Amino acid sequence: MPDPLIIGVDLGATNIESAAVRGGDILASDKKKTRPEKGVDAVIERIAKTVRNTIDDMDASKDDFEALCIGAPGAVDIEAGVIKSAPNLGWTNVPLGDLLEEELEMPVLVDNDVNIGVLGEHVYGAGKGTLDMIGIFVGTGIGGGLVLNGTPHYGWRGVAGEVGHVVVKPNGRQCGCGRYGCVEAYASKTAMEAIIREEMEKGRSTEVFEIMEKKGKQKLTSSVIEASLEAGDLLMEEAIQNAQYYLGLLTANLVNVLDPEVVVFGGGVVERLGQDFIDPIGRTARQHYLQREGAEKIRLVPAALGDDAGPIGAGVVARRRLQSAI
Amino acid sequence: MPDPLIIGVDLGATNIESAAVRGGDILASDKKKTRPEKGVDAVIERIAKTVRNTIDDMDASKDDFEALCIGAPGAVDIEAGVIKSAPNLGWTNVPLGDLLEEELEMPVLVDNDVNIGVLGEHVYGAGKGTLDMIGIFVGTGIGGGLVLNGTPHYGWRGVAGEVGHVVVKPNGRQCGCGRYGCVEAYASKTAMEAIIREEMEKGRSTEVFEIMEKKGKQKLTSSVIEASLEAGDLLMEEAIQNAQYYLGLLTANLVNVLDPEVVVFGGGVVERLGQDFIDPIGRTARQHYLQREGAEKIRLVPAALGDDAGPIGAGVVARRRLQSAI
């Protein structure tokens, strides 16, 4: 039996990406800006338009697809298809599944975007063929997901994988979550921007904010980071090294506790900077995890699917959930 | 079919405990000092004697038992039954399984003592009925084990659960493992003793070492800790609070990553001090883990089986391994 045809959608705060997926292959795709500031209804309409474009592009009809699976940022009630809380979208208790089913008249499955990305990388990307994989995603925040003994680990309440909120420095910087010393408070783009700004306010010079302005960006994006590093900006370099150090501690802690075969790093920053971003993380991690037999074989690698991890992972999740529903 | 009759043995650096186990019940038991300084052969003989006493005590013969399962401290090659490295015993590459089979002429299974203790607590103790449980054992070192999705998580190389070597303070105190800032460097008995000694050498006063001498102990034992706390020794109190703080950070990190239903604390210190030792750990943990829905339901509890976790857990491991061998 061939893999079913699925519509996989990645709903981000900036972009909506829709794709027709079969197994690890993307057969057609479409992308739009999310524009969450226009409200829930407008976003639903934009998702639906992106999906219709994808289907049209294949000269197909929605009945050719087994289901649509959409990954959303934030806390998701998977069974009910409800986005309980998505701060980046400004959403609370949005019944995304029902709204899309009504709009598109096809079965809709909803899951967390990071869980979906991790599964995509596990089945078709950098974690292919492994039983124990940790995914760490570096972006506006720091997300993560676990595959243990070959299956995704969601935890008792379904909220496992919050690697961004591992405390790496007691009484350290305040994190967006309100607590202190989380790795996200050092290694996310938000944190790096705040750290650079604080240093600038102390009198040190940086080109980061000029570069940001030149590029027409409101915040520190991955492309601003790359351009600032290329310009040799010292504060940007320090912020990156600081992020890498704390991501190294995080990685070491996860290796000591979970003993994975591979740690996959993804997200915007990693996509831009690639293995160069990961190597220093690996050096710190190896200094901090136990050098037991086989420790040198643990792989720390960049995600392989890039933006496609969302739609391809959505296809994997849809297949799992359709199967278990039989 | 009733549970099989198993000999469960807990091999520690101080004591050997042997028991006849059926399910969660101990039917007979015997205990001897380990005396590792006398060499491997002497320890094997003492284990065999303890096992024979247990069998005699039941008016049984060794043929009444399906197998003997022994938990040993350190790195164990489970399949080969070899203790690869057990620093507390001074053992390297000791074929414990073969040696005991030869001596006792019955099937012998070997596993790590902490893994066994965690499984005992999961099946018959404080983690009974849960799917996701973390065990943290506070003693000479800090050990741990994970049960995830209802099954023990051993990891890719079989060395998962090294919670004692989670870094809780970057560039912190040096740990016995050679690295810096591990929780074991703050919260183990060894670490607490070292911290108190350092403070004393700086000129602060403490009764801990007198109490140790009065009790005829060479090092900080759980009973010395208890007596020192009862005597109101300030340095002991500070060392315990410091240990609790870092164990709280560790717990928070594990909760954020793994989302367990219950965290079980065991080991000598916890057995002595009980819930009073755990409550401050819980307060720090709750300050540091995400307050998502259901967070208040995560239980932090003392181990329920005490010294019996070893033999009872050995019975659980033996049943699992005999079953999967069929």
Side-chain angles (χ1 to χ4, degrees):
Chain A
M1 205 172 70
D3 287 322
L5 201 55
I6 304 285
I7 293 283
V9 181
D10 188 20
L11 171 61
T14 313
N15 293 308
I16 300 160
E17 199 192 337
S18 158
V21 185
R22 194 192 293 279
D25 298 320
I26 290 191
L27 308 176
S29 68
D30 193 49
K31 200 170 176 175
K32 282 201 188 309
K33 291 280 168 207
T34 310
R35 307 206 193 289
E37 67 281 3
K38 299 201 172 174
V40 172
D41 290 349
V43 172
I44 297 293
E45 215 165 282
R46 297 180 75 78
I47 297 170
K49 211 174 272 177
T50 321
V51 170
R52 287 195 192 101
N53 286 349
T54 307
I55 295 171
D56 289 350
D57 195 36
M58 280 194 63
D59 286 326
S61 94
K62 64 181 167 55
D63 301 329
D64 297 326
F65 294 85
E66 292 273 325
L68 181 156
C69 180
I70 183 166
V76 177
D77 181 336
I78 292 174
E79 295 198 12
V82 171
I83 311 302
K84 283 160 39 174
S85 155
N88 289 343
L89 295 169
W91 287 11
T92 310
N93 289 322
V94 172
L96 179 62
D98 286 351
L99 292 172
L100 280 177
E101 281 195 0
E102 207 170 294
E103 181 70 29
L104 286 163
E105 296 180 318
M106 62 192 292
V108 174
L109 305 166
V110 185
D111 212 317
N112 170 270
D113 59 347
V114 177
N115 285 345
I116 282 180
V118 167
L119 273 183
E121 288 292 339
H122 180 247
V123 178
Y124 293 109
K128 200 173 161 175
T130 65
L131 283 175
D132 295 290
M133 165 188 149
I134 297 168
I136 300 177
F137 289 79
V138 183
T140 313
I142 309 265
L146 313 172
V147 175
L148 301 174
N149 303 327
T151 55
H153 177 69
Y154 291 134
W156 179 50
R157 294 167 296 157
V159 299
E162 285 289 5
V163 301
H165 300 285
V166 165
V167 174
V168 286
K169 186 164 183 176
N171 299 312
R173 289 180 63 83
Q174 190 168 20
C175 181
C177 75
R179 274 156 288 276
Y180 294 86
C182 302
V183 65
E184 185 168 299
Y186 295 93
S188 66
K189 286 190 282 194
T190 318
M192 286 191 265
E193 181 178 341
I195 290 168
I196 293 170
R197 200 179 293 276
E198 283 163 24
E199 290 299 312
M200 192 181 68
E201 283 163 3
K202 284 183 204 160
R204 295 186 59 188
S205 67
T206 176
E207 291 174 61
V208 167
F209 298 100
E210 288 158 44
I211 292 171
M212 216 185 273
E213 217 184 304
K214 251 186 251 165
K215 286 183 169 278
K217 304 291 184 188
Q218 309 298 314
K219 56 184 185 182
L220 187 71
T221 63
S222 304
S223 78
V224 173
I225 293 175
E226 191 180 32
S228 302
L229 290 175
E230 277 168 6
D233 190 90
L234 268 180
L235 279 187
M236 189 69 246
E237 279 175 21
E238 282 180 27
I240 282 282
Q241 283 163 8
N242 191 51
Q244 288 165 324
Y245 173 74
Y246 287 109
L247 287 168
L249 288 189
L250 169 68
T251 303
N253 288 346
L254 296 174
V255 165
N256 279 332
V257 173
L258 294 173
D259 187 18
E261 182 172 354
V262 63
V263 183
V264 176
F265 293 85
V269 176
V270 180
E271 262 171 60
R272 274 288 162 167
L273 307 177
Q275 192 67 42
D276 285 350
F277 181 72
I278 296 174
D279 286 338
I281 297 173
R283 281 194 291 275
T284 302
R286 276 183 280 274
Q287 279 165 21
H288 286 89
Y289 58 65
L290 294 172
Q291 293 307 305
R292 288 238 176 115
E293 214 175 312
E296 73 288 353
K297 289 185 198 145
I298 300 167
R299 289 182 292 125
L300 277 58
V301 297
L305 302 180
D307 280 349
D308 294 344
I312 289 177
V316 173
V317 169
R319 267 156 54 203
R320 278 185 187 261
R321 286 172 57 181
L322 292 171
Q323 245 173 13
S324 66
I326 288 167
Chain B
M1 204 173 67
D3 287 322
L5 201 56
I6 304 285
I7 293 283
V9 180
D10 188 20
L11 171 61
T14 312
N15 293 309
I16 299 161
E17 198 192 340
S18 159
V21 186
R22 195 192 293 280
D25 297 320
I26 289 192
L27 309 178
S29 68
D30 193 49
K31 201 170 175 174
K32 280 198 188 313
K33 291 280 169 207
T34 310
R35 307 207 192 288
E37 68 281 4
K38 297 201 172 173
V40 172
D41 290 350
V43 172
I44 297 293
E45 215 165 282
R46 296 180 76 79
I47 297 169
K49 213 174 272 176
T50 322
V51 169
R52 287 197 191 102
N53 286 349
T54 307
I55 295 172
D56 289 348
D57 195 36
M58 281 193 63
D59 286 327
S61 93
K62 65 181 167 56
D63 300 330
D64 296 326
F65 294 85
E66 292 273 326
L68 180 156
C69 181
I70 182 165
V76 176
D77 181 335
I78 292 175
E79 296 200 9
V82 171
I83 311 303
K84 282 157 46 174
S85 154
N88 289 344
L89 295 171
W91 287 11
T92 310
N93 289 320
V94 172
L96 178 62
D98 285 351
L99 292 173
L100 280 177
E101 283 197 359
E102 208 169 295
E103 182 70 29
L104 287 163
E105 295 180 319
M106 63 191 291
V108 174
L109 304 166
V110 185
D111 212 317
N112 170 271
D113 59 348
V114 177
N115 285 344
I116 282 180
V118 167
L119 273 182
E121 288 292 338
H122 179 247
V123 177
Y124 294 109
K128 202 171 160 175
T130 66
L131 282 175
D132 296 289
M133 163 187 150
I134 296 168
I136 300 178
F137 289 80
V138 183
T140 312
I142 308 264
L146 313 172
V147 175
L148 301 173
N149 302 325
T151 55
H153 177 69
Y154 291 133
W156 179 50
R157 295 167 297 156
V159 299
E162 285 289 4
V163 302
H165 300 284
V166 165
V167 175
V168 285
K169 185 162 183 178
N171 298 312
R173 289 179 64 82
Q174 189 168 20
C175 181
C177 75
R179 275 156 287 276
Y180 294 86
C182 303
V183 66
E184 184 167 300
Y186 295 94
S188 65
K189 286 191 281 195
T190 319
M192 286 192 264
E193 180 178 340
I195 290 168
I196 293 171
R197 199 178 292 278
E198 285 162 24
E199 290 299 311
M200 191 180 70
E201 283 165 3
K202 284 184 203 158
R204 295 186 59 188
S205 66
T206 176
E207 292 173 60
V208 168
F209 298 100
E210 288 158 46
I211 292 171
M212 215 184 275
E213 218 184 304
K214 251 186 252 164
K215 286 183 167 277
K217 304 291 184 186
Q218 309 298 314
K219 55 183 185 182
L220 186 73
T221 62
S222 304
S223 78
V224 174
I225 294 175
E226 193 180 31
S228 303
L229 291 174
E230 278 168 7
D233 190 90
L234 268 180
L235 279 187
M236 189 69 246
E237 279 177 20
E238 282 180 28
I240 281 282
Q241 284 164 8
N242 191 52
Q244 288 165 325
Y245 173 74
Y246 287 108
L247 287 168
L249 288 188
L250 169 68
T251 303
N253 289 346
L254 295 173
V255 165
N256 280 332
V257 172
L258 295 173
D259 187 18
E261 181 172 354
V262 62
V263 183
V264 176
F265 293 86
V269 177
V270 180
E271 262 171 60
R272 276 285 162 168
L273 307 178
Q275 193 68 41
D276 284 349
F277 182 71
I278 297 174
D279 286 338
I281 297 174
R283 283 195 289 275
T284 301
R286 277 183 280 274
Q287 278 165 20
H288 287 89
Y289 58 65
L290 295 171
Q291 294 307 306
R292 289 241 176 110
E293 212 176 313
E296 73 287 353
K297 289 186 199 146
I298 300 167
R299 290 182 293 126
L300 277 58
V301 297
L305 302 180
D307 279 349
D308 295 344
I312 289 177
V316 172
V317 168
R319 267 156 54 205
R320 278 184 187 261
R321 286 172 56 179
L322 292 172
Q323 244 173 15
S324 68
I326 290 165

